[in-house]
Amino acid sequence: METPFVLRQQHQRVVTLTLHRPEARNALSTPCLEQLVYWLELADADATVGAVVITGAPRFFAAGADLHELQKQDLPATLTDRRPLLWQRLAQFSKPLLAAVNGYALGAGCELALACDIVICGESARFGLPEITLGLMPGAGGTQRLIRCVGKSRASQMVLTGEAINASCALQSGLVSEVCVDALTLERTQQVAERISLQAPLALCAAKQALKQAEETGLSQGLAIERQQFVTLAATDDRREGIAAFFEKRTPNYQGR
Amino acid sequence: MDNALILTHLEAGVLTLTLNRPDRLNSFNDEMHRQLSEALTLAERDETVRCLLITGAGRGFCAGQDLNDRNVSVEQQAPDLGLSVERFYNPLIRRLTALPKPVVCAVNGVAAGAGAALALACDIVIAADNANFIQSFCRLGLVPDSGGSWFLPRLAGHARAMGMALLGDKVSAQQALAWGMIWQVVAANELAATSQTLAQHLATQPTYGLGLIKKALYSSANNSLDQQLDLERDLQRLGGRSDDYREGVSAFFAKRAPNFSGK
């Protein structure tokens, strides 16, 4: 691969992907996004990986899309842009995906955090969708995923004014699940990821699918899907192992079967 | 610089900032704000700065906003004072309290309005015995700003804060000390030496750890005991990883004076 815009590191069953374009405040250019998706797809196929953490730099998670790229795109080029496909592949990642956010998560950076299952941030974190101030609008889930987690009024205010919110506001409105001291954000996120990565892989995958369905369907259909996933797990070795270990008061030893 | 409204002097880890408009009792105008902001940027970025000392030139400490810049005539539209607060005073107070290094204030004379609030926003305040503090806002139909309404009740208590803010009377340095608003009162001719000695001592201490202490104390205002216990755990975790913690412990066991790097 050319210039590495994403650094990969694995500790036990947790892979950490660090966005690394410091000169561009981690702006998510297409090559950068491509590398991110590349690593995610490798992790998806890798049985030694249980969960993935995406993080950035201390002062910026990712400051948006690459404006130089956007500037060159006319209507036909935008129509055939492959970025939507990349975002789609990112959304299809089947294992738990966590974002550890310090500093700015703006535009595409904010949309990336929104696409993760769990977001944990530091006190310095700022989330915003400033696309409107450039005469455009969020184009990678910003208008859809944000409104589902923070509600109509706050989402509309953020999308229409382009103003960012701080960490405590993000916590209050449900955009993030935890706020911690900046210097511990990544460590804490990896800790949560590690705990997740020790669970049964098939159960994680099924639970994630069920959670994602909540955004796609109505309640009764969602309940039906949940039930179906629940039943499927009944046929797995890991389910027997999990319950047996509980009764025998020992740590379960999952095989992913 | 001849017309510097903020004098800066860096020596032995102490960055001394002197408010320097003595003929106007060091009251703030926009230019002084800009220069103070630059000096703060230096304090934030320069690792060799391990303590900040703020004082005033001449007989006053700081008389707050210079009212000469506030020409209000009947024909003019009402000014937006909020704008000046948002642009200058609020960032100043936010940066001082967030600075992960100790900030000492030597109050050499009158501290009025935002000048009093500026002093109270510093971590350790030493006042000359002839200094005094005035919450002058009420006499102009205004509200204590620059954190004045936040610090006062916390430092002096509700009753005294109300009295000071609603009456706008002078509070002497002795009174301020008795009320717990400041750390120490010294004779006017000893103020410079005492505050320098204190600042120089702080500049040799575990700066990183002191920064964590500041964070813990400021956070306690908005946290429940539960949240604060969690924060203490996190900050202690960071403190325990610092070079200075190791140095402190090994110096203790070796029965020698520690040599802290501030990291």
Side-chain angles (χ1 to χ4, degrees), chain B residues 12-72:
Chain B
V14 177
L15 180 67
T16 305
L17 304 183
T18 308
L19 312 179
N20 188 36
R21 293 184 75 214
D23 52 322
R24 305 287 316 158
L25 287 174
N26 304 320
S27 58
F28 276 106
N29 59 18
D30 291 2
E31 180 52 27
M32 186 160 113
H33 272 298
R34 270 188 286 274
Q35 292 185 18
L36 182 53
S37 166
E38 269 176 42
L40 271 183
T41 305
L42 175 70
E44 286 162 350
R45 297 200 182 150
D46 189 339
E47 281 190 12
T48 65
V49 175
R50 289 173 60 186
C51 180
L52 191 62
L53 171 62
I54 301 179
T55 190
R59 62 193 177 89
F61 170 68
C62 175
Q65 172 66 41
D66 191 339
L67 292 179
N68 281 2
D69 284 13
R70 291 277 180 273
N71 223 342
V72 203

Side-chain angles (χ1 to χ4, degrees), chain B residues 53-247:
Chain B
L53 171 62
I54 301 179
T55 190
R59 62 193 177 89
F61 170 68
C62 175
Q65 172 66 41
D66 191 339
L67 292 179
N68 281 2
D69 284 13
R70 291 277 180 273
N71 223 342
V72 203
S73 62
V74 197
E75 304 90 59
Q76 283 173 327
Q77 216 184 2
D80 181 2
L81 297 189
L83 198 65
S84 141
V85 168
E86 188 172 304
R87 188 176 298 158
F88 296 120
Y89 290 99
N90 283 358
L92 168 63
I93 302 301
R94 287 197 175 110
R95 289 172 77 183
L96 282 177
T97 52
L99 188 73
K101 306 170 183 186
V103 181
V104 176
C105 185
V107 184
N108 54 301
V110 67
L118 167 63
L120 299 183
C122 296
D123 304 325
I124 294 190
V125 187
I126 306 181
D129 52 8
N130 61 355
N132 46 55
F133 298 83
I134 314 172
Q135 290 298 322
S136 40
F137 297 95
C138 57
R139 301 179 176 196
L140 295 170
L142 299 180
V143 179
D145 62 18
S146 308
S149 67
W150 192 87
F151 284 106
L152 261 192
R154 281 175 170 76
L155 295 169
H158 178 80
R160 289 159 181 164
M162 276 294 184
M164 284 181 74
L166 293 175
L167 300 171
D169 291 344
K170 251 184 211 176
V171 172
S172 69
Q174 278 304 339
Q175 189 68 277
L177 179 68
W179 285 355
M181 289 164 54
I182 61 175
W183 175 242
Q184 195 184 0
V185 175
V186 297
N189 59 1
E190 289 165 16
L191 178 71
T194 310
S195 54
Q196 272 295 338
T197 309
L198 180 81
Q200 271 163 23
H201 162 73
L202 284 168
T204 63
Q205 294 303 297
T207 312
Y208 178 70
L210 300 187
L212 297 180
I213 293 177
K214 259 184 91 159
K215 185 175 178 61
L217 294 190
Y218 276 117
S219 306
S220 75
N222 310 315
N223 277 350
S224 65
L225 174 61
D226 236 22
Q227 292 168 315
Q228 190 69 12
L229 287 169
D230 285 349
L231 180 67
E232 284 177 2
R233 172 202 61 206
D234 291 346
L235 297 181
Q236 203 69 292
R237 181 169 281 154
L238 295 175
R241 289 176 190 171
S242 67
D243 294 348
D244 282 344
Y245 172 63
R246 287 186 190 191
E247 168 62 12

Side-chain angles (χ1 to χ4, degrees), chain A residues 218-235:
Chain A
L219 178 63
S220 46
Q221 203 188 340
L223 288 170
I225 292 168
E226 183 193 71
R227 185 67 207 167
Q228 199 181 351
Q229 299 279 11
F230 185 86
V231 169
T232 314
L233 290 179

Side-chain angles (χ1 to χ4, degrees), chain A residues 124-169:
Chain A
S124 70
R126 296 282 182 282
F127 297 87
L129 294 170
E131 283 89 343
I132 198 76
T133 64
L134 302 169
L136 42 113
M137 60 175 282
T143 65
Q144 302 303 304
R145 292 202 175 99
L146 185 66
I147 202 167
R148 284 167 166 79
C149 60
V150 308
K152 183 187 87 166
S153 191
R154 179 152 285 152
S156 304
Q157 189 170 338
M158 286 175 70
V159 171
L160 301 179
T161 66
E163 281 177 11
I165 59 171
N166 64 18
S168 61
C169 182

Side-chain angles (χ1 to χ4, degrees), chain A residues 141-234:
Chain A
T143 65
Q144 302 303 304
R145 292 202 175 99
L146 185 66
I147 202 167
R148 284 167 166 79
C149 60
V150 308
K152 183 187 87 166
S153 191
R154 179 152 285 152
S156 304
Q157 189 170 338
M158 286 175 70
V159 171
L160 301 179
T161 66
E163 281 177 11
I165 59 171
N166 64 18
S168 61
C169 182
L171 180 68
Q172 262 172 32
S173 43
L175 204 163
V176 306
S177 60
E178 269 184 48
V179 176
C180 46
V181 178
D182 276 340
L184 295 174
T185 308
L186 178 58
E187 195 174 319
R188 172 65 188 148
T189 312
Q190 285 170 330
Q191 204 177 54
V192 174
E194 189 187 327
R195 192 186 160 93
I196 291 174
S197 74
L198 297 175
Q199 313 305 319
L202 292 172
L204 285 174
C205 181
K208 172 165 171 164
Q209 290 309 318
L211 286 165
K212 291 188 81 162
Q213 286 308 314
E215 293 184 346
E216 304 283 342
T217 62
L219 178 63
S220 46
Q221 203 188 340
L223 288 170
I225 292 168
E226 183 193 71
R227 185 67 207 167
Q228 199 181 351
Q229 299 279 11
F230 185 86
V231 169
T232 314
L233 290 179

Side-chain angles (χ1 to χ4, degrees), chain A residues 17-52:
Chain A
L17 299 176
T18 306
L19 302 171
H20 185 68
R21 284 190 75 206
E23 75 289 350
R25 305 213 297 163
N26 284 348
L28 289 170
S29 61
T30 304
C32 180
L33 197 58
E34 240 159 27
Q35 290 182 20
L36 187 66
V37 171
Y38 167 82
W39 286 121
L40 283 177
E41 285 174 347
L42 281 191
D44 220 352
D46 184 346
T48 70
V49 178
V52 174

